[in-house]
Amino acid sequence: MKPWGWLPLLLQLGLMWPLGALSEPQLRVFVVPHSHMDVGWLHTVQESMQAYVTNVYNSVVEELILERRRRFITVEQEYFRLWWDGVASDKQKGQVRQLVAEGRLEFVLGGQVMHDEAVTHSDDQILQLTEGHSFLYETFGIRPQFSWQVDPFDASATTPTLFALAGFNAHVISTIDYDLKEAMQINQQLQFQEIFTHVLDHFGYCSEGFYWDGEPIFPHPPADGWYPNMQLPVTQKSLQSFVEAMLYYVGERATWFQTPHLLWPWGCDRQFFNASLQFTNMDRVMEEYATLGNYFQAVHAHQLSWKVRDHQDFLPYSSDLFHAWTGFYASRSGLKGLVRRASALLYAGESMFTRYVLLAPHWFLDPAWGLQQLQQLRWAVSEVQHHDAITGTHAVKVGDMFVENLSTRMEGVHKLMASIIQDRSPAHSGPERGGHFAVVYNPLAWTVTTIITLTVEFPNVSITDESGHPVPAQFQRSKEMPSAYDLHVLTMIPGLSYRHYSIQPSRRPQEDTGEPVTSLASSRRFGLRLRRSGKQVGGSLVPVKNDCYTVFLDKDTNLMHSIWERQSNRTVRVTQSFREYHVKSDVNHGPVSDNYVFTPNGRAEPAWEAVRMEIVEGPLVTEIRQYFYREVNDSEPTFAIYSQLAHGPQGSDGELLCHRIEQEYRVGPLELNREAILRISTKLDTGRVLYSDNNGYQVQRRSYRNYKSNTIARNYYPMVQSAFIQSRRSRLVLLSTQAHGISSQRNGQVEVMLHRRLWNNDKGALGNNLTLNDTSVIHPVLWLLLGSRALTSGLHQRSGLALQHRPVVMLREMNEIAPHGSGPWKQKAVTLPPGIHLQILSIPGWKYSSNHTEHLQTLQKDRKHEPKADLRRVLLRLQHLYEVDQDPVLSRPVTVNLWSVLRGLGSVVSVEERSLTETWDVSEMYRWTWSTGDPHRHRGLDALVLTLPRVPSLTPSQTPALPLRPV
């Protein structure tokens, strides 16, 4: 008998079975070794690389080479790329290529990170997935086909849609509501369609009781190789206990699934850093290992008919009766705002750089340097989509790392933009110093009419455009900087185009100079008003209006009273107020609020005692400034609302500008253990039904539910970009620049969680500095749209994009001399049909052929020199903005004439339709077909990705048309 002669005992019990066996026992268990490696949680990326990540890859590769039957899956590409580029030897790289080719090392998911699904935007999900997939395809010629979303605290409906478009055949999730998971286990419904989805059972992704390598030690691995909590090794003496444990796990799982194929993820957080010890013990209790692909191939071959689940997401997530994971929707609000600003900057920088490279000689800017600036920001924005990053559920030092990475990379793209402008803008030097030259870039593919705001040090200015014509403008005292002035400028900019403005101090602010002088706004101030409770209000109203809305303000309270909307000729009672939830903080008295969980101690209470109001009126903008004081005698307000109504041009160009009430808020610093909300109360009969977006992509209906416990927290949902409430006749839409928590706790009411400041006495959180003592002052922005359903459904999507991607304003001193000052740089506008959005226009910098066969042949060669990035291949994604039946006109399918749209980019002809992450030619992408009882299956978006290499020009008749369908 061999030393481990008891192994056949496990085979006889039906626990494991060789994948190639001729006959199968009743159950097949697929043990999938893995290590869950958070890209920033309790430790920074650098600390994790040093303490355990490097050892995971070094030791796993070594152990897989030593024993052919071993398998391993790897997930997050940020860590793997850092190891590959900075640690791995040529020998190790060769071994990895061998293991990948043999299917023993499998890349699943393949994004830079395992992204969060609640507070991330779909654009950023696509970015991080594309970044990882491009690396894997360029390096190995492979394309991941299975997801592994096992740790995000939620599961959206958007993510599987995007995964299907990327070519995935199956999807794995885990964290769904505890009671729903229990019901699905009992009814064998943990697997379903549309993309085939496997929900991990309540054991999750960890194999508790089988951690033979223990836990890693930070900041350095121990010199003696001994780690804490190392499991006792498998020996003749301990065999029985391991067998009993394995039988328990398998027996439990066997009743929860319809097929005899069981998935057993083997590993957990930071496991396999000593793969030799781990595999040696695993070898003693199992005959065979598997990859995730092995498991899904077996399930697919079983040919069952799978239930099709509706398009409802799995939000919010509760881990038990008392822990609703809805707090992180607003944790570290400042970081959430920075992430979206970085993403918007990247979006603008990509198209600006693409047009510059394709259409112009490069006088001073090195395109390779420019591409590097964009690539570094792509990495930083991708990194922070991790499910412990943008969520705010990380240690303080890790948050500092995220902010530093984003800020540094944003500065690089700002320098790139400044270089492009410096290279292409006219020279301006005048007799007076101190003026500014402003370049405004519109990153959207339609004409935008809007008002940009600049801060200047002088009140009397003249503004002219690139032709020397005066420009409508208005100046007023700055709301946040009393010594400065806000300068509002009306601008109309075609798609992907620039406007240039000269801003000079005026010698004398009057007509005898003949200079175009901006208009000074007038101001009305209203005295301090105490918070009124239960008293009659509305006796004296002050109207503030533009061509679309009249906002009525109550002089008795200094609060909003109601809004009249012109098109429907309807007045809706609308009031706004700041409130705070007091939250539980003592773990000795039950669950507490923390970075993840929201545990309110009763209903929200008023957060202020007095409010002061000022109305600033001018020809372009009327601004309402409301300052809320926590105590009557406070010298500084804790909260503020700055509302703007624009007076823009009539017609379609000014429709979006007119039909919105722009609001910026000042929130903080908060008192300890407070969660600040903006409550908007209306007289709309909404039935406590709220509609909020999934990742800025799909809309979900949220009905208020009564629970046995924690009802307030469990009725909160994420709002990434938009939400609305509606009655039969009217709809109130909220558009946001960043993620917030949102809820409708009462009829006609919506509340937005803006900011959190928490401290509790949980020893684990305090020991890891996983706290949320956030004393910052934040300035989130919401736009309000009010009107009929028909009006708001047409404005909703485009207004949301107008908010996310506002024009980029770049200033430089007037006396700077621009090279080759021959006048403004002329470019043709890029204009898409209404309802179609330019999701991305970029030069990815691919170094490989788009022909898959050619690329694989190239990988087989011994390349002595690193290939250069191809700057003539362009990635273009177009997105239909509207869902089926959302709008009677804009929801229709649209055919885009590529010749007409793309002629603004120069001579472009060969068009390749690619998968979402561009690694597949769509004509070659064949996803598995899973049997279902529903023949009418949702297809998602079509034709999202195109690559456009420069080749001899096509005539318009030769250029293909691209059909885009609503979701």
Side-chain angles (χ1 to χ4, degrees), residues 304-338:
L304 287 184
S305 180
W306 300 98
K307 180 181 177 180
V308 177
R309 182 179 166 84
D310 60 23
H311 300 297
Q312 192 67 32
D313 60 19
F314 289 100
L315 293 163
Y317 165 60
S318 290
S319 53
D320 57 45
L321 188 64
F322 305 104
H323 291 85
W325 294 47
T326 56
F328 76 89
Y329 300 161
S331 292
R332 303 199 191 282
S333 182
L335 175 63
K336 287 177 168 64
L338 178 63

Side-chain angles (χ1 to χ4, degrees), residues 288-584:
E288 193 72 59
Y289 300 91
T291 63
L292 191 60
N294 295 147
Y295 170 71
F296 280 122
Q297 287 165 4
V299 175
H300 182 256
H302 212 74
Q303 297 185 335
L304 287 184
S305 180
W306 300 98
K307 180 181 177 180
V308 177
R309 182 179 166 84
D310 60 23
H311 300 297
Q312 192 67 32
D313 60 19
F314 289 100
L315 293 163
Y317 165 60
S318 290
S319 53
D320 57 45
L321 188 64
F322 305 104
H323 291 85
W325 294 47
T326 56
F328 76 89
Y329 300 161
S331 292
R332 303 199 191 282
S333 182
L335 175 63
K336 287 177 168 64
L338 178 63
V339 171
R340 293 302 296 141
R341 290 195 298 276
S343 178
L345 177 67
L346 178 62
Y347 177 82
E350 296 278 18
S351 61
M352 182 185 289
F353 178 72
T354 300
R355 299 205 75 184
Y356 173 82
V357 169
L358 293 179
L359 297 179
H362 316 129
W363 299 112
F364 295 100
L365 174 61
D366 177 8
W369 172 83
L371 178 61
Q372 183 185 46
Q373 307 313 303
L374 293 170
Q375 288 173 330
Q376 290 176 345
L377 185 54
R378 292 172 196 165
W379 183 294
V381 173
S382 296
E383 175 184 73
V384 82
Q385 306 311 313
H386 171 60
H387 57 271
D388 277 311
I390 191 172
T391 54
T393 56
H394 48 261
V396 173
K397 63 180 177 182
V398 176
D400 294 340
M401 176 197 73
F402 291 135
V403 171
E404 173 67 20
N405 290 348
L406 285 169
S407 301
T408 302
R409 305 317 181 195
M410 289 173 73
E411 182 180 350
V413 172
H414 278 300
K415 290 179 179 178
L416 168 62
M417 289 178 160
S419 298
I420 292 174
I421 297 305
Q422 182 77 2
D423 209 5
R424 295 301 166 210
S425 296
H428 278 268
S429 58
E432 297 188 31
R433 300 175 64 89
H436 294 90
F437 179 60
V439 180
V440 186
Y441 177 67
N442 171 24
L444 292 170
W446 68 69
T447 298
V448 169
T449 300
T450 191
I451 292 172
I452 61 172
T453 301
L454 308 172
T455 300
V456 296
E457 296 78 27
F458 34 83
N460 299 316
V461 298
S462 64
I463 305 179
T464 55
D465 62 17
E466 53 267 21
S467 301
H469 299 140
V471 177
Q474 165 188 328
F475 73 91
Q476 61 200 44
R477 286 281 183 185
S478 174
K479 57 182 178 289
E480 291 281 336
M481 301 170 58
S483 62
Y485 296 87
D486 290 335
L487 179 63
H488 301 299
V489 181
L490 178 65
T491 184
M492 184 171 68
I493 319 173
L496 271 61
S497 299
Y498 300 85
R499 294 300 305 270
H500 302 75
Y501 299 105
S502 299
I503 305 168
Q504 294 179 298
S506 179
R507 286 188 293 268
R508 292 190 306 276
Q510 264 333 320
E511 295 79 5
D512 58 346
T513 66
E515 294 180 359
V517 179
T518 54
S519 301
L520 172 65
S522 61
S523 174
R524 287 184 289 165
R525 297 183 178 180
F526 299 80
L528 197 69
R529 298 289 185 268
L530 300 182
R531 181 167 57 84
R532 303 168 70 93
S533 179
K535 297 183 180 180
Q536 185 67 32
V537 296
S540 180
L541 301 180
V542 179
V544 173
K545 57 187 176 181
N546 66 2
D547 290 332
C548 297
Y549 295 117
T550 299
V551 176
F552 293 99
L553 303 164
D554 190 340
K555 290 174 61 177
D556 294 330
T557 62
N558 283 346
L559 301 177
M560 181 184 291
H561 177 274
S562 53
I563 302 174
W564 175 76
E565 193 272 313
R566 176 182 295 273
Q567 190 175 101
S568 63
N569 191 25
R570 194 172 298 138
T571 299
V572 177
R573 181 72 186 272
V574 181
T575 61
Q576 293 181 300
S577 177
F578 291 102
R579 289 181 172 253
E580 289 177 327
Y581 283 103
H582 296 221
V583 296
K584 300 174 183 178

Side-chain angles (χ1 to χ4, degrees), residues 63-79:
E63 293 305 311
L64 294 185
I65 290 294
L66 288 175
E67 177 55 65
R68 288 192 59 84
R69 63 193 175 99
R70 293 170 178 167
R71 302 288 187 272
F72 196 80
I73 63 169
T74 186
V75 185
E76 299 88 357
Q77 290 313 296
E78 173 158 336
Y79 279 139

Side-chain angles (χ1 to χ4, degrees), residues 244-272:
E244 290 175 355
M246 296 174 75
L247 282 172
Y248 167 74
Y249 285 121
V250 172
E252 283 278 281
R253 285 187 165 106
T255 61
W256 298 333
F257 295 91
Q258 297 183 48
T259 76
H261 309 298
L262 302 182
L263 174 63
W264 190 343
W266 199 292
C268 200
D269 292 22
R270 303 181 294 273
Q271 288 294 300
F272 282 88

Side-chain angles (χ1 to χ4, degrees), residues 171-206:
H171 177 41
V172 180
I173 62 175
S174 183
T175 45
I176 65 173
D177 221 55
Y178 74 99
D179 48 2
L180 177 59
K181 178 177 282 193
E182 182 178 353
M184 293 174 75
Q185 286 180 168
I186 294 172
N187 297 309
Q188 293 187 330
Q189 294 178 347
L190 290 171
Q191 295 171 318
F192 52 85
Q193 274 278 69
E194 218 154 282
I195 181 175
F196 184 82
T197 301
H198 176 102
V199 183
L200 294 182
D201 52 59
H202 76 244
F203 294 119
Y205 63 83
C206 292

